[in-house]
Amino acid sequence: DNSGNIHEFYDFDKKFLDVGSYGNVCKAKKKGTSDVRAVKNISKRQIMKNAEKFKLEIARMKRMDHPNIIKIFETFEDARNIYLVME
C-alpha cells in the first residue's frame, strides 16, 4: 500500500502493547492529526512461505467494514517488515 518509511507518517510509543509469534504491536499517532492507531510489525521471514496468500488476506481485510472485525487502515513495507496500521 505505502512504500514510504512508516516513521515519516507515525510517531511510535516506546513500549509494545503486545508481543506475538508473528510480530509486535505498538501504539502510534499519525503525524499532523490526533489519530491514534495500533501498528503491528510482521517480519517478512515469518511469512515467506505464504507471502502472496498473506498479502491477499490483508487486501481482503482492508475492504472489510464490520464492527466485530479490526479495521486495517493502511499498510507499509520495508526490506524486513510489513506494518499493519489498525484501529
Side-chain angles (χ1 to χ4, degrees):
D1 190 31
N2 291 314
S3 58
N5 183 337
I6 192 168
H7 297 282
E8 293 176 7
F9 298 91
Y10 289 91
D11 291 317
F12 289 82
D13 279 1
K14 299 226 184 283
K15 71 176 194 175
F16 295 121
L17 295 174
D18 190 28
V19 177
S21 58
Y22 281 99
N24 306 315
V25 179
C26 41
K27 190 163 88 171
K29 183 176 178 230
K30 190 165 189 171
K31 293 182 179 183
T33 73
S34 59
D35 296 340
V36 176
R37 304 285 188 233
V39 177
K40 182 169 189 169
N41 70 318
I42 301 169
S43 170
K44 288 183 177 179
R45 289 184 314 180
Q46 296 291 331
I47 59 161
M48 275 202 306
K49 291 180 184 175
N50 296 311
E52 289 307 312
K53 187 175 178 182
F54 175 81
K55 288 180 180 183
L56 182 60
E57 182 68 19
I58 295 304
R60 285 185 189 131
M61 289 178 69
K62 286 172 72 175
R63 291 191 305 266
M64 301 283 256
D65 186 16
H66 189 279
N68 295 332
I69 299 174
I70 292 175
K71 177 77 175 158
I72 296 178
F73 292 104
E74 58 186 333
T75 61
F76 290 83
E77 187 173 345
D78 62 24
R80 296 188 319 193
N81 297 302
I82 295 174
Y83 303 89
L84 308 178
V85 180
M86 307 175 291
E87 56 185 348

